[in-house]
Amino acid sequence: MSADDLILVQCAAGNRDNAAAIAEALIEQRLAACVQMTPIESWYRWEGAVQHAPELMLTIKTVRSRFEALCRTVTALHEYDVPEIVAVPIIDALPAYADWVRETVGAEG
């Protein structure tokens, strides 16, 4: 079975409380099977100036059919004006893992 309905979503958050609130909401609402939080450092241009800040990267495992609802939840909870919400396809996965993701978010493969 293909894993082409599975996606990884990346979302950077500025602090642990906000990142945890987003992660918890996504799991509670069954919009994600798993959310991992990793400390990162980001350099970016915002409001005409180069910025540098520590952030937390959320790596979210879900399916394409949950992406729109996931975006709404993240946007509602996120402290940034323009949060990073980027999805990349999973082209293949261990079949048992792919099944677990689908089952956990209530999607069919």
Side-chain angles (χ1 to χ4, degrees):
M1 176 180 283
S2 173
D4 62 357
D5 61 324
L6 273 59
I7 58 175
L8 289 179
V9 179
Q10 289 189 313
C11 177
N15 64 70
R16 187 167 183 75
D17 288 344
N18 191 223
I22 291 166
E24 189 169 334
L26 294 176
I27 297 298
E28 285 181 356
Q29 295 174 32
R30 297 177 65 98
L31 297 174
C34 176
V35 180
Q36 295 169 318
M37 189 183 314
T38 307
I40 61 170
E41 287 191 51
S42 295
W43 284 261
Y44 53 95
R45 184 171 299 279
W46 184 251
E47 298 180 344
V50 174
Q51 307 286 329
H52 171 249
E55 294 183 297
L56 294 156
M57 180 61 72
L58 299 177
T59 303
I60 304 159
K61 286 80 168 219
T62 191
V63 294
R64 288 178 194 241
S65 63
R66 296 291 190 259
F67 184 71
E68 189 175 320
L70 182 149
C71 286
R72 284 192 301 269
T73 296
V74 170
T75 301
L77 294 172
H78 210 291
E79 294 181 346
Y80 291 174
D81 293 338
V82 182
E84 171 187 7
I85 307 172
V86 179
V88 294
I90 296 174
I91 59 169
D92 214 346
L94 178 71
Y97 180 80
D99 290 345
W100 172 78
V101 171
R102 290 183 194 106
E103 180 181 318
T104 301
V105 298
E108 296 190 21

